[in-house]
């Protein structure tokens, strides 16, 4: 069955299951995200809100709550499930903890850049994963966005991967990344984004798993002066609508929200494709050490990680085929 049709049926099933218990939906939709206000995701959410307001003749609006104001991603997922939150732009970190198939998108060295990541996220195997969300999480997955590729930032100089051993490495809390660092003999410290600057400042961590946009947004270069350009994994985002809220919408409003969110996510995918280079130049201009530290430094890690995620291996292979085709 075609992906789009399957998704529509899954959403329809969720809608009918929940229709009886649904309160009237909000006309001012609330959208939560963990990233700060200036981040591209927040800008995309604001632009989407404007379109929704214009296209509904002012009947609907969207208020964006950035910087984890509504809680961390796990709490936002719970709010989406209860209907307390209408929409969210979330990393797939917490989603992959709940629906393990999404972990395949974090396979190490699957793609080289956010541009390649965007192509993989638009491909059929990635799109099919969205069909799992209504049933397994009670949310509607409208589509993917992306963040920049992941890098490692350290307070002390590093020559080889072995030098990272024993470091306290901040990670976003999710299993595929934890496994990556455990395989390297590095003890990961799960920590949501808003806590990272202080943790670097007070020595709670001495290395962070991060991306170039956030290094600039949060000025992490003030606290750690050695950047390893690893590009070890992409960092997908997903645009979600609460299943309970969705079930209470008219067909017209569903179409309005879905179309505006799809457009916003598509624009985000395009923007990251071209933004990474400029951010890296800005980081170099701060004067910190920036060292190429690519896949050749991580010998054997792909095979070992895939062995740990053997249940997802057929999906990982399909995603690697998509990546190779772009
Ligand atoms: C992070 O936890 O590092 C993160 C959160 C949101 C967007 C990108 C990265």
């Amino acid at each position: 069955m075609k992906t789009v049709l399957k998704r529509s049926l899954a959403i329809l099933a969720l809608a009918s299951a929940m229709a009886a218990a649904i309160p009237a939906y909000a006309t001012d939709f609330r959208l939560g995200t963990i990233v700060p206000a200036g981040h591209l995701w927040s800008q995309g959410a604001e632009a989407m809100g404007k379109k929704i307001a214009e296209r509904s003749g002012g009947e609907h609006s969207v208020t964006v709550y950035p910087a984890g104001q509504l809680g961390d991603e796990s709490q936002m997922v719970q709010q989406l499930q209860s209907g307390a939150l209408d929409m969210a732009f979330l990393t797939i970190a917490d989603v992959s903890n709940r629906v393990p198939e999404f972990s395949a998108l974090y396979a190490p060295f699957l793609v080289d850049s956010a541009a390649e990541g965007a192509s993989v996220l638009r491909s059929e195997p990635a799109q099919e994963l969205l069909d799992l969300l209504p049933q397994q999480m009670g949310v509607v997955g409208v589509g993917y966005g992306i963040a920049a590729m992941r890098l490692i930032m350290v307070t002390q100089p590093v020559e080889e991967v072995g030098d990272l051993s024993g470091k306290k490495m901040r990670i976003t809390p999710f299993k595929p990344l934890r496994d990556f660092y455990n395989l390297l003999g590095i003890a990961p410290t799960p920590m949501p984004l808003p806590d990272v600057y202080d943790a670097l400042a007070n020595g709670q961590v001495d290395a962070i798993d991060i991306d170039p946009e956030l290094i600039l947004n949060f000025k992490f270069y003030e606290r750690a002066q050695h950047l390893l350009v690893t590009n070890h994994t992409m960092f997908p985002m997903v645009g979600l609508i609460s299943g309970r809220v969705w079930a209470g919408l008219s067909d017209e409003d569903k179409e309005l929200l879905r179309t505006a969110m799809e457009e916003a996510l598509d624009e985000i995918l395009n923007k990251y494709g071209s933004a990474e280079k400029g951010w890296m130049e800005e980081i170099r201009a701060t004067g910190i050490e920036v060292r190429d530290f690519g896949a050749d430094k991580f010998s054997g890690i792909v095979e070992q990680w895939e062995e740990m995620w053997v249940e997802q291996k057929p999906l990982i292979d399909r995603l690697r085929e998509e990546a190779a085709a772009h």
Side-chain angles (χ1 to χ4, degrees), residues 250-282:
S250 67
D251 288 348
E252 196 188 339
D253 286 341
K254 282 179 184 165
E255 186 58 22
L256 171 71
L257 262 53
R258 182 211 287 275
T259 309
M261 193 180 278
E262 276 174 355
E263 288 169 9
L265 295 170
D266 207 46
E267 199 156 320
I268 287 170
L269 285 176
N270 290 338
K271 281 191 175 158
Y272 278 91
S274 53
E276 278 178 323
K277 199 161 164 265
W279 287 325
M280 290 308 296
E281 278 164 17
E282 271 187 67

PDB file of all heavy atoms in Angstrom, residues 250-282:
ATOM      1  N   SER A 250     -11.874  19.725  12.295  1.00  0.00           N
ATOM      2  CA  SER A 250     -12.663  19.524  11.063  1.00  0.00           C
ATOM      3  C   SER A 250     -11.691  19.105   9.950  1.00  0.00           C
ATOM      4  O   SER A 250     -10.481  19.347  10.052  1.00  0.00           O
ATOM      5  CB  SER A 250     -13.346  20.825  10.665  1.00  0.00           C
ATOM      6  OG  SER A 250     -12.362  21.789  10.282  1.00  0.00           O
ATOM      7  N   ASP A 251     -12.220  18.516   8.883  1.00  0.00           N
ATOM      8  CA  ASP A 251     -11.359  18.119   7.753  1.00  0.00           C
ATOM      9  C   ASP A 251     -10.621  19.324   7.196  1.00  0.00           C
ATOM     10  O   ASP A 251      -9.453  19.244   6.830  1.00  0.00           O
ATOM     11  CB  ASP A 251     -12.194  17.470   6.639  1.00  0.00           C
ATOM     12  CG  ASP A 251     -12.658  16.080   7.044  1.00  0.00           C
ATOM     13  OD1 ASP A 251     -12.137  15.565   8.061  1.00  0.00           O
ATOM     14  OD2 ASP A 251     -13.556  15.532   6.369  1.00  0.00           O
ATOM     15  N   GLU A 252     -11.325  20.442   7.166  1.00  0.00           N
ATOM     16  CA  GLU A 252     -10.718  21.667   6.620  1.00  0.00           C
ATOM     17  C   GLU A 252      -9.515  22.106   7.466  1.00  0.00           C
ATOM     18  O   GLU A 252      -8.457  22.458   6.939  1.00  0.00           O
ATOM     19  CB  GLU A 252     -11.803  22.751   6.640  1.00  0.00           C
ATOM     20  CG  GLU A 252     -11.517  23.959   5.804  1.00  0.00           C
ATOM     21  CD  GLU A 252     -12.579  25.034   6.058  1.00  0.00           C
ATOM     22  OE1 GLU A 252     -13.682  24.686   6.545  1.00  0.00           O
ATOM     23  OE2 GLU A 252     -12.282  26.193   5.805  1.00  0.00           O
ATOM     24  N   ASP A 253      -9.678  22.055   8.787  1.00  0.00           N
ATOM     25  CA  ASP A 253      -8.578  22.477   9.663  1.00  0.00           C
ATOM     26  C   ASP A 253      -7.435  21.467   9.645  1.00  0.00           C
ATOM     27  O   ASP A 253      -6.263  21.841   9.753  1.00  0.00           O
ATOM     28  CB  ASP A 253      -9.090  22.712  11.089  1.00  0.00           C
ATOM     29  CG  ASP A 253      -9.889  24.010  11.176  1.00  0.00           C
ATOM     30  OD1 ASP A 253      -9.739  24.855  10.268  1.00  0.00           O
ATOM     31  OD2 ASP A 253     -10.673  24.163  12.132  1.00  0.00           O
ATOM     32  N   LYS A 254      -7.772  20.191   9.503  1.00  0.00           N
ATOM     33  CA  LYS A 254      -6.696  19.182   9.374  1.00  0.00           C
ATOM     34  C   LYS A 254      -5.830  19.511   8.163  1.00  0.00           C
ATOM     35  O   LYS A 254      -4.597  19.484   8.231  1.00  0.00           O
ATOM     36  CB  LYS A 254      -7.292  17.781   9.200  1.00  0.00           C
ATOM     37  CG  LYS A 254      -7.789  17.174  10.485  1.00  0.00           C
ATOM     38  CD  LYS A 254      -8.378  15.804  10.224  1.00  0.00           C
ATOM     39  CE  LYS A 254      -8.961  15.275  11.528  1.00  0.00           C
ATOM     40  NZ  LYS A 254      -9.848  14.158  11.375  1.00  0.00           N
ATOM     41  N   GLU A 255      -6.492  19.809   7.076  1.00  0.00           N
ATOM     42  CA  GLU A 255      -5.772  20.113   5.829  1.00  0.00           C
ATOM     43  C   GLU A 255      -4.920  21.379   6.000  1.00  0.00           C
ATOM     44  O   GLU A 255      -3.755  21.430   5.579  1.00  0.00           O
ATOM     45  CB  GLU A 255      -6.803  20.292   4.698  1.00  0.00           C
ATOM     46  CG  GLU A 255      -6.227  20.476   3.318  1.00  0.00           C
ATOM     47  CD  GLU A 255      -5.337  19.314   2.879  1.00  0.00           C
ATOM     48  OE1 GLU A 255      -5.468  18.200   3.427  1.00  0.00           O
ATOM     49  OE2 GLU A 255      -4.480  19.555   2.008  1.00  0.00           O
ATOM     50  N   LEU A 256      -5.513  22.370   6.663  1.00  0.00           N
ATOM     51  CA  LEU A 256      -4.793  23.635   6.898  1.00  0.00           C
ATOM     52  C   LEU A 256      -3.516  23.382   7.710  1.00  0.00           C
ATOM     53  O   LEU A 256      -2.422  23.820   7.346  1.00  0.00           O
ATOM     54  CB  LEU A 256      -5.720  24.595   7.660  1.00  0.00           C
ATOM     55  CG  LEU A 256      -5.105  25.885   8.184  1.00  0.00           C
ATOM     56  CD1 LEU A 256      -4.792  26.839   7.030  1.00  0.00           C
ATOM     57  CD2 LEU A 256      -6.055  26.564   9.183  1.00  0.00           C
ATOM     58  N   LEU A 257      -3.663  22.668   8.822  1.00  0.00           N
ATOM     59  CA  LEU A 257      -2.514  22.434   9.705  1.00  0.00           C
ATOM     60  C   LEU A 257      -1.469  21.546   9.041  1.00  0.00           C
ATOM     61  O   LEU A 257      -0.276  21.820   9.082  1.00  0.00           O
ATOM     62  CB  LEU A 257      -2.979  21.765  11.006  1.00  0.00           C
ATOM     63  CG  LEU A 257      -3.175  22.691  12.200  1.00  0.00           C
ATOM     64  CD1 LEU A 257      -4.080  23.849  11.890  1.00  0.00           C
ATOM     65  CD2 LEU A 257      -3.677  21.925  13.400  1.00  0.00           C
ATOM     66  N   ARG A 258      -1.956  20.483   8.407  1.00  0.00           N
ATOM     67  CA  ARG A 258      -1.024  19.543   7.797  1.00  0.00           C
ATOM     68  C   ARG A 258      -0.208  20.236   6.689  1.00  0.00           C
ATOM     69  O   ARG A 258       1.023  20.099   6.640  1.00  0.00           O
ATOM     70  CB  ARG A 258      -1.768  18.343   7.213  1.00  0.00           C
ATOM     71  CG  ARG A 258      -0.831  17.296   6.611  1.00  0.00           C
ATOM     72  CD  ARG A 258      -1.479  16.573   5.463  1.00  0.00           C
ATOM     73  NE  ARG A 258      -2.493  15.636   5.905  1.00  0.00           N
ATOM     74  CZ  ARG A 258      -2.224  14.384   6.286  1.00  0.00           C
ATOM     75  NH1 ARG A 258      -1.001  13.957   6.282  1.00  0.00           N
ATOM     76  NH2 ARG A 258      -3.189  13.592   6.656  1.00  0.00           N
ATOM     77  N   THR A 259      -0.891  20.980   5.842  1.00  0.00           N
ATOM     78  CA  THR A 259      -0.198  21.620   4.726  1.00  0.00           C
ATOM     79  C   THR A 259       0.813  22.650   5.228  1.00  0.00           C
ATOM     80  O   THR A 259       1.963  22.674   4.786  1.00  0.00           O
ATOM     81  CB  THR A 259      -1.222  22.306   3.796  1.00  0.00           C
ATOM     82  OG1 THR A 259      -2.228  21.363   3.487  1.00  0.00           O
ATOM     83  CG2 THR A 259      -0.585  22.794   2.521  1.00  0.00           C
ATOM     84  N   ALA A 260       0.395  23.479   6.189  1.00  0.00           N
ATOM     85  CA  ALA A 260       1.306  24.521   6.693  1.00  0.00           C
ATOM     86  C   ALA A 260       2.505  23.880   7.388  1.00  0.00           C
ATOM     87  O   ALA A 260       3.645  24.347   7.245  1.00  0.00           O
ATOM     88  CB  ALA A 260       0.560  25.451   7.642  1.00  0.00           C
ATOM     89  N   MET A 261       2.279  22.788   8.127  1.00  0.00           N
ATOM     90  CA  MET A 261       3.408  22.154   8.816  1.00  0.00           C
ATOM     91  C   MET A 261       4.327  21.457   7.817  1.00  0.00           C
ATOM     92  O   MET A 261       5.555  21.540   7.923  1.00  0.00           O
ATOM     93  CB  MET A 261       2.927  21.184   9.900  1.00  0.00           C
ATOM     94  CG  MET A 261       4.061  20.768  10.823  1.00  0.00           C
ATOM     95  SD  MET A 261       3.616  19.624  12.143  1.00  0.00           S
ATOM     96  CE  MET A 261       2.939  20.693  13.387  1.00  0.00           C
ATOM     97  N   GLU A 262       3.737  20.790   6.826  1.00  0.00           N
ATOM     98  CA  GLU A 262       4.578  20.138   5.797  1.00  0.00           C
ATOM     99  C   GLU A 262       5.476  21.167   5.111  1.00  0.00           C
ATOM    100  O   GLU A 262       6.655  20.928   4.881  1.00  0.00           O
ATOM    101  CB  GLU A 262       3.698  19.454   4.740  1.00  0.00           C
ATOM    102  CG  GLU A 262       3.249  18.077   5.158  1.00  0.00           C
ATOM    103  CD  GLU A 262       2.262  17.446   4.174  1.00  0.00           C
ATOM    104  OE1 GLU A 262       1.842  18.128   3.207  1.00  0.00           O
ATOM    105  OE2 GLU A 262       1.897  16.295   4.396  1.00  0.00           O
ATOM    106  N   GLU A 263       4.904  22.315   4.796  1.00  0.00           N
ATOM    107  CA  GLU A 263       5.693  23.361   4.120  1.00  0.00           C
ATOM    108  C   GLU A 263       6.825  23.857   5.026  1.00  0.00           C
ATOM    109  O   GLU A 263       7.955  24.051   4.583  1.00  0.00           O
ATOM    110  CB  GLU A 263       4.784  24.535   3.726  1.00  0.00           C
ATOM    111  CG  GLU A 263       3.858  24.201   2.566  1.00  0.00           C
ATOM    112  CD  GLU A 263       2.769  25.256   2.335  1.00  0.00           C
ATOM    113  OE1 GLU A 263       2.830  26.342   2.955  1.00  0.00           O
ATOM    114  OE2 GLU A 263       1.860  24.992   1.549  1.00  0.00           O
ATOM    115  N   ALA A 264       6.498  24.051   6.318  1.00  0.00           N
ATOM    116  CA  ALA A 264       7.526  24.535   7.255  1.00  0.00           C
ATOM    117  C   ALA A 264       8.662  23.518   7.380  1.00  0.00           C
ATOM    118  O   ALA A 264       9.841  23.876   7.382  1.00  0.00           O
ATOM    119  CB  ALA A 264       6.898  24.799   8.617  1.00  0.00           C
ATOM    120  N   LEU A 265       8.299  22.237   7.467  1.00  0.00           N
ATOM    121  CA  LEU A 265       9.326  21.192   7.633  1.00  0.00           C
ATOM    122  C   LEU A 265      10.188  21.075   6.379  1.00  0.00           C
ATOM    123  O   LEU A 265      11.414  20.914   6.459  1.00  0.00           O
ATOM    124  CB  LEU A 265       8.650  19.852   7.955  1.00  0.00           C
ATOM    125  CG  LEU A 265       7.906  19.813   9.300  1.00  0.00           C
ATOM    126  CD1 LEU A 265       7.071  18.545   9.419  1.00  0.00           C
ATOM    127  CD2 LEU A 265       8.885  19.908  10.468  1.00  0.00           C
ATOM    128  N   ASP A 266       9.532  21.190   5.236  1.00  0.00           N
ATOM    129  CA  ASP A 266      10.272  21.101   3.970  1.00  0.00           C
ATOM    130  C   ASP A 266      11.304  22.232   3.874  1.00  0.00           C
ATOM    131  O   ASP A 266      12.448  22.029   3.474  1.00  0.00           O
ATOM    132  CB  ASP A 266       9.274  21.185   2.817  1.00  0.00           C
ATOM    133  CG  ASP A 266       9.799  20.487   1.603  1.00  0.00           C
ATOM    134  OD1 ASP A 266      10.305  19.352   1.753  1.00  0.00           O
ATOM    135  OD2 ASP A 266       9.742  21.081   0.503  1.00  0.00           O
ATOM    136  N   GLU A 267      10.876  23.406   4.294  1.00  0.00           N
ATOM    137  CA  GLU A 267      11.784  24.562   4.257  1.00  0.00           C
ATOM    138  C   GLU A 267      12.953  24.349   5.222  1.00  0.00           C
ATOM    139  O   GLU A 267      14.093  24.688   4.926  1.00  0.00           O
ATOM    140  CB  GLU A 267      10.994  25.819   4.635  1.00  0.00           C
ATOM    141  CG  GLU A 267      11.690  27.072   4.183  1.00  0.00           C
ATOM    142  CD  GLU A 267      10.706  28.209   4.019  1.00  0.00           C
ATOM    143  OE1 GLU A 267       9.588  27.976   3.513  1.00  0.00           O
ATOM    144  OE2 GLU A 267      11.059  29.301   4.426  1.00  0.00           O
ATOM    145  N   ILE A 268      12.653  23.769   6.382  1.00  0.00           N
ATOM    146  CA  ILE A 268      13.722  23.488   7.358  1.00  0.00           C
ATOM    147  C   ILE A 268      14.710  22.501   6.751  1.00  0.00           C
ATOM    148  O   ILE A 268      15.933  22.700   6.821  1.00  0.00           O
ATOM    149  CB  ILE A 268      13.113  22.978   8.687  1.00  0.00           C
ATOM    150  CG1 ILE A 268      12.443  24.147   9.418  1.00  0.00           C
ATOM    151  CG2 ILE A 268      14.171  22.324   9.566  1.00  0.00           C
ATOM    152  CD1 ILE A 268      11.610  23.764  10.623  1.00  0.00           C
ATOM    153  N   LEU A 269      14.218  21.448   6.118  1.00  0.00           N
ATOM    154  CA  LEU A 269      15.129  20.469   5.471  1.00  0.00           C
ATOM    155  C   LEU A 269      16.017  21.179   4.454  1.00  0.00           C
ATOM    156  O   LEU A 269      17.222  20.933   4.387  1.00  0.00           O
ATOM    157  CB  LEU A 269      14.326  19.362   4.779  1.00  0.00           C
ATOM    158  CG  LEU A 269      13.672  18.295   5.665  1.00  0.00           C
ATOM    159  CD1 LEU A 269      12.843  17.336   4.814  1.00  0.00           C
ATOM    160  CD2 LEU A 269      14.696  17.518   6.475  1.00  0.00           C
ATOM    161  N   ASN A 270      15.442  22.063   3.672  1.00  0.00           N
ATOM    162  CA  ASN A 270      16.235  22.780   2.647  1.00  0.00           C
ATOM    163  C   ASN A 270      17.274  23.703   3.281  1.00  0.00           C
ATOM    164  O   ASN A 270      18.414  23.762   2.833  1.00  0.00           O
ATOM    165  CB  ASN A 270      15.319  23.616   1.747  1.00  0.00           C
ATOM    166  CG  ASN A 270      14.479  22.734   0.841  1.00  0.00           C
ATOM    167  OD1 ASN A 270      14.847  21.583   0.585  1.00  0.00           O
ATOM    168  ND2 ASN A 270      13.363  23.248   0.381  1.00  0.00           N
ATOM    169  N   LYS A 271      16.867  24.414   4.328  1.00  0.00           N
ATOM    170  CA  LYS A 271      17.774  25.404   4.926  1.00  0.00           C
ATOM    171  C   LYS A 271      19.014  24.740   5.516  1.00  0.00           C
ATOM    172  O   LYS A 271      20.122  25.246   5.382  1.00  0.00           O
ATOM    173  CB  LYS A 271      17.057  26.191   6.024  1.00  0.00           C
ATOM    174  CG  LYS A 271      16.171  27.284   5.469  1.00  0.00           C
ATOM    175  CD  LYS A 271      15.683  28.200   6.558  1.00  0.00           C
ATOM    176  CE  LYS A 271      14.899  29.355   5.962  1.00  0.00           C
ATOM    177  NZ  LYS A 271      13.998  29.988   6.905  1.00  0.00           N
ATOM    178  N   TYR A 272      18.822  23.594   6.189  1.00  0.00           N
ATOM    179  CA  TYR A 272      19.993  22.934   6.800  1.00  0.00           C
ATOM    180  C   TYR A 272      20.952  22.426   5.736  1.00  0.00           C
ATOM    181  O   TYR A 272      22.158  22.349   5.973  1.00  0.00           O
ATOM    182  CB  TYR A 272      19.565  21.809   7.751  1.00  0.00           C
ATOM    183  CG  TYR A 272      19.187  22.365   9.101  1.00  0.00           C
ATOM    184  CD1 TYR A 272      17.885  22.731   9.384  1.00  0.00           C
ATOM    185  CD2 TYR A 272      20.158  22.609  10.065  1.00  0.00           C
ATOM    186  CE1 TYR A 272      17.543  23.295  10.603  1.00  0.00           C
ATOM    187  CE2 TYR A 272      19.833  23.165  11.286  1.00  0.00           C
ATOM    188  CZ  TYR A 272      18.516  23.507  11.550  1.00  0.00           C
ATOM    189  OH  TYR A 272      18.201  24.074  12.758  1.00  0.00           O
ATOM    190  N   GLY A 273      20.386  22.116   4.577  1.00  0.00           N
ATOM    191  CA  GLY A 273      21.251  21.648   3.481  1.00  0.00           C
ATOM    192  C   GLY A 273      22.304  22.667   3.111  1.00  0.00           C
ATOM    193  O   GLY A 273      23.394  22.305   2.662  1.00  0.00           O
ATOM    194  N   SER A 274      22.007  23.942   3.314  1.00  0.00           N
ATOM    195  CA  SER A 274      22.983  24.959   2.896  1.00  0.00           C
ATOM    196  C   SER A 274      23.616  25.723   4.061  1.00  0.00           C
ATOM    197  O   SER A 274      24.573  26.464   3.861  1.00  0.00           O
ATOM    198  CB  SER A 274      22.318  25.941   1.923  1.00  0.00           C
ATOM    199  OG  SER A 274      21.141  26.432   2.509  1.00  0.00           O
ATOM    200  N   ALA A 275      23.124  25.544   5.285  1.00  0.00           N
ATOM    201  CA  ALA A 275      23.582  26.407   6.390  1.00  0.00           C
ATOM    202  C   ALA A 275      24.849  25.910   7.092  1.00  0.00           C
ATOM    203  O   ALA A 275      25.570  26.704   7.699  1.00  0.00           O
ATOM    204  CB  ALA A 275      22.467  26.549   7.419  1.00  0.00           C
ATOM    205  N   GLU A 276      25.149  24.612   7.006  1.00  0.00           N
ATOM    206  CA  GLU A 276      26.235  24.056   7.831  1.00  0.00           C
ATOM    207  C   GLU A 276      27.586  24.734   7.574  1.00  0.00           C
ATOM    208  O   GLU A 276      28.335  25.033   8.506  1.00  0.00           O
ATOM    209  CB  GLU A 276      26.362  22.554   7.599  1.00  0.00           C
ATOM    210  CG  GLU A 276      25.362  21.757   8.402  1.00  0.00           C
ATOM    211  CD  GLU A 276      25.440  20.266   8.165  1.00  0.00           C
ATOM    212  OE1 GLU A 276      25.689  19.838   7.019  1.00  0.00           O
ATOM    213  OE2 GLU A 276      25.237  19.512   9.117  1.00  0.00           O
ATOM    214  N   LYS A 277      27.865  24.981   6.282  1.00  0.00           N
ATOM    215  CA  LYS A 277      29.176  25.527   5.928  1.00  0.00           C
ATOM    216  C   LYS A 277      29.399  26.902   6.604  1.00  0.00           C
ATOM    217  O   LYS A 277      30.453  27.161   7.187  1.00  0.00           O
ATOM    218  CB  LYS A 277      29.244  25.673   4.394  1.00  0.00           C
ATOM    219  CG  LYS A 277      30.618  25.772   3.861  1.00  0.00           C
ATOM    220  CD  LYS A 277      30.635  25.440   2.359  1.00  0.00           C
ATOM    221  CE  LYS A 277      31.923  25.919   1.737  1.00  0.00           C
ATOM    222  NZ  LYS A 277      31.812  27.246   1.130  1.00  0.00           N
ATOM    223  N   GLY A 278      28.387  27.757   6.540  1.00  0.00           N
ATOM    224  CA  GLY A 278      28.483  29.097   7.131  1.00  0.00           C
ATOM    225  C   GLY A 278      28.692  29.030   8.639  1.00  0.00           C
ATOM    226  O   GLY A 278      29.485  29.798   9.208  1.00  0.00           O
ATOM    227  N   TRP A 279      27.976  28.111   9.306  1.00  0.00           N
ATOM    228  CA  TRP A 279      28.150  27.986  10.760  1.00  0.00           C
ATOM    229  C   TRP A 279      29.577  27.556  11.098  1.00  0.00           C
ATOM    230  O   TRP A 279      30.162  28.070  12.051  1.00  0.00           O
ATOM    231  CB  TRP A 279      27.148  26.973  11.334  1.00  0.00           C
ATOM    232  CG  TRP A 279      25.741  27.478  11.368  1.00  0.00           C
ATOM    233  CD1 TRP A 279      25.331  28.756  11.613  1.00  0.00           C
ATOM    234  CD2 TRP A 279      24.549  26.715  11.157  1.00  0.00           C
ATOM    235  NE1 TRP A 279      23.962  28.833  11.571  1.00  0.00           N
ATOM    236  CE2 TRP A 279      23.457  27.594  11.299  1.00  0.00           C
ATOM    237  CE3 TRP A 279      24.294  25.377  10.874  1.00  0.00           C
ATOM    238  CZ2 TRP A 279      22.132  27.178  11.159  1.00  0.00           C
ATOM    239  CZ3 TRP A 279      22.989  24.953  10.743  1.00  0.00           C
ATOM    240  CH2 TRP A 279      21.917  25.845  10.874  1.00  0.00           C
ATOM    241  N   MET A 280      30.117  26.629  10.319  1.00  0.00           N
ATOM    242  CA  MET A 280      31.489  26.176  10.594  1.00  0.00           C
ATOM    243  C   MET A 280      32.470  27.327  10.422  1.00  0.00           C
ATOM    244  O   MET A 280      33.416  27.473  11.202  1.00  0.00           O
ATOM    245  CB  MET A 280      31.872  24.991   9.691  1.00  0.00           C
ATOM    246  CG  MET A 280      31.152  23.689  10.008  1.00  0.00           C
ATOM    247  SD  MET A 280      31.238  23.200  11.746  1.00  0.00           S
ATOM    248  CE  MET A 280      32.991  22.930  11.926  1.00  0.00           C
ATOM    249  N   GLU A 281      32.233  28.170   9.428  1.00  0.00           N
ATOM    250  CA  GLU A 281      33.124  29.340   9.242  1.00  0.00           C
ATOM    251  C   GLU A 281      33.028  30.273  10.451  1.00  0.00           C
ATOM    252  O   GLU A 281      34.032  30.780  10.939  1.00  0.00           O
ATOM    253  CB  GLU A 281      32.766  30.087   7.958  1.00  0.00           C
ATOM    254  CG  GLU A 281      33.392  29.428   6.733  1.00  0.00           C
ATOM    255  CD  GLU A 281      32.763  29.888   5.427  1.00  0.00           C
ATOM    256  OE1 GLU A 281      32.076  30.934   5.412  1.00  0.00           O
ATOM    257  OE2 GLU A 281      32.961  29.182   4.419  1.00  0.00           O
ATOM    258  N   GLU A 282      31.791  30.491  10.914  1.00  0.00           N
ATOM    259  CA  GLU A 282      31.616  31.362  12.091  1.00  0.00           C
ATOM    260  C   GLU A 282      32.332  30.792  13.311  1.00  0.00           C
ATOM    261  O   GLU A 282      32.931  31.522  14.102  1.00  0.00           O
ATOM    262  CB  GLU A 282      30.130  31.490  12.435  1.00  0.00           C
ATOM    263  CG  GLU A 282      29.418  32.626  11.736  1.00  0.00           C
ATOM    264  CD  GLU A 282      27.996  32.774  12.277  1.00  0.00           C
ATOM    265  OE1 GLU A 282      27.811  33.137  13.446  1.00  0.00           O
ATOM    266  OE2 GLU A 282      27.057  32.502  11.505  1.00  0.00           O
TER     267      GLU A 282
END
